[in-house]
Amino acid sequence: MTSTPEILSISTPAPFPDHTQLPESDGTFVKNFQEHPQSILLTDSITPVLQHIHPTGDYCIGQDSGIYWRMMDPPEKGAEAPDWFYVGNVPPVLNNQMRRSYVLWQELIPPLIVLEFVSGNGEEERDKTPWVGKFWVYEQVIRPAFYGIYEVQQSRVEVYHLVENRYELVTENQRGHFSIPPLGVELGIWQGLYQNVTLPWLRWWDADGNLLLTGDERAEQEKQRADLLAAKLRELGIDPDNLC
């Protein structure tokens, strides 16, 4: 009697989870009321620059969103959630869904710049403890080309540039700004009123030192130009409302 050979069962490793299968929050609160307006200010003002660089819209911006860099239990322990970051050459929508997080093992492209808004003394953002410290994780694993630490209470920002696998502190230019050459912009501190609050806000300038305006600021600037032109026409006896 011949025996039937035993069929061995070979288990297939489970695929790595994607952004739809990983937690989009660790359940903690935003640290203060300034963080979201600060993120919106950065995004709003740099959008025309990014649209010029990426005419097809292939870029994404994360605001207090998770960047997953390793598998952990629970999963959110394997993620960092920068207050603001930008990644080029990836679409904002993935598999017909808005991104819930950014998953490095799925995307492979690191962010170009990551910004952290300090709520304490900055110790957490400068922690270089291997596998634990935020600075170490950004430098050695996530590896954004630029890492900024913004301290609103100190009215300052530190910017680091990844050079030969190590972060080097970027020196500010004559305007007190930090150059981000791949974007053609500068990052610095602007003291002013935004969303009804006067603070030393983190903002962008172009390479010539011109402040990048938000949509509301651009609209107000155009209104002032139109009002000035109308006033000059009236001085000449011309009714601007009758002009085609």
Side-chain angles (χ1 to χ4, degrees):
M1 179 176 178
T2 58
S3 61
T4 303
E6 182 181 358
I7 298 176
L8 299 178
S9 176
I10 302 176
S11 61
T12 303
F16 284 110
D18 63 19
H19 73 110
T20 65
Q21 300 164 310
L22 292 163
E24 62 182 341
S25 172
D26 63 0
T28 59
F29 290 111
V30 173
K31 300 181 183 69
N32 58 59
F33 278 41
Q34 188 253 346
E35 289 192 7
H36 278 170
Q38 176 62 82
S39 294
I40 294 168
L41 175 57
L42 288 168
T43 299
D44 188 1
S45 57
I46 203 171
T47 292
V49 173
L50 299 182
Q51 290 175 337
H52 177 74
I53 295 173
H54 306 283
T56 60
D58 279 347
Y59 71 90
C60 67
I61 289 175
Q63 299 176 155
D64 202 29
S65 301
I67 301 176
Y68 280 89
W69 58 279
R70 68 169 171 171
M71 289 296 300
M72 292 285 287
D73 185 18
E76 55 268 28
K77 293 295 185 181
E80 292 293 341
D83 294 294
W84 194 95
F85 66 92
Y86 152 77
V87 191
N89 302 314
V90 296
V93 176
L94 188 63
N95 299 328
N96 298 317
Q97 294 189 43
M98 285 298 296
R99 295 177 182 275
R100 292 162 53 92
S101 57
Y102 193 74
V103 185
L104 279 181
W105 58 75
Q106 185 178 24
E107 302 284 2
L108 303 180
I109 300 175
L112 176 74
I113 183 169
V114 159
L115 299 174
E116 290 281 1
F117 308 156
V118 173
S119 58
N121 60 7
E123 181 179 350
E124 178 183 354
E125 290 75 14
R126 297 181 178 90
D127 188 351
K128 299 181 181 180
T129 306
W131 301 102
V132 176
K134 186 168 288 190
F135 191 103
W136 188 93
V137 171
Y138 286 139
E139 181 185 59
Q140 298 298 318
V141 185
I142 299 177
R143 299 171 63 78
F146 294 90
Y147 173 37
I149 301 174
Y150 164 55
E151 298 179 275
V152 62
Q153 298 296 331
Q154 304 298 326
S155 187
R156 71 180 183 187
V157 59
E158 289 179 4
V159 177
Y160 296 86
H161 183 206
L162 193 64
V163 178
E164 296 183 354
N165 301 321
R166 296 291 179 187
Y167 274 139
E168 293 185 358
L169 193 61
V170 178
T171 303
E172 62 184 21
N173 62 20
Q174 66 275 15
R175 290 185 285 268
H177 302 159
F178 301 91
S179 178
I180 313 295
L183 296 178
V185 300
E186 299 174 356
L187 186 66
I189 299 296
W190 174 81
Q191 182 74 34
L193 179 67
Y194 178 69
Q195 292 199 6
N196 202 37
V197 180
T198 298
L199 284 174
W201 298 96
L202 189 61
R203 295 201 63 166
W204 308 104
W205 285 259
D206 66 20
D208 295 322
N210 301 304
L211 184 67
L212 298 188
L213 304 180
T214 65
D216 287 345
E217 288 170 336
R218 291 193 295 272
E220 178 61 26
Q221 188 179 73
E222 288 303 315
K223 180 180 181 300
Q224 291 177 0
R225 288 174 180 170
D227 290 346
L228 181 60
L229 176 59
K232 290 182 177 179
L233 290 173
R234 291 190 180 95
E235 289 177 0
L236 296 174
I238 302 172
D239 186 351
D241 294 331
N242 292 332
L243 294 177
C244 296

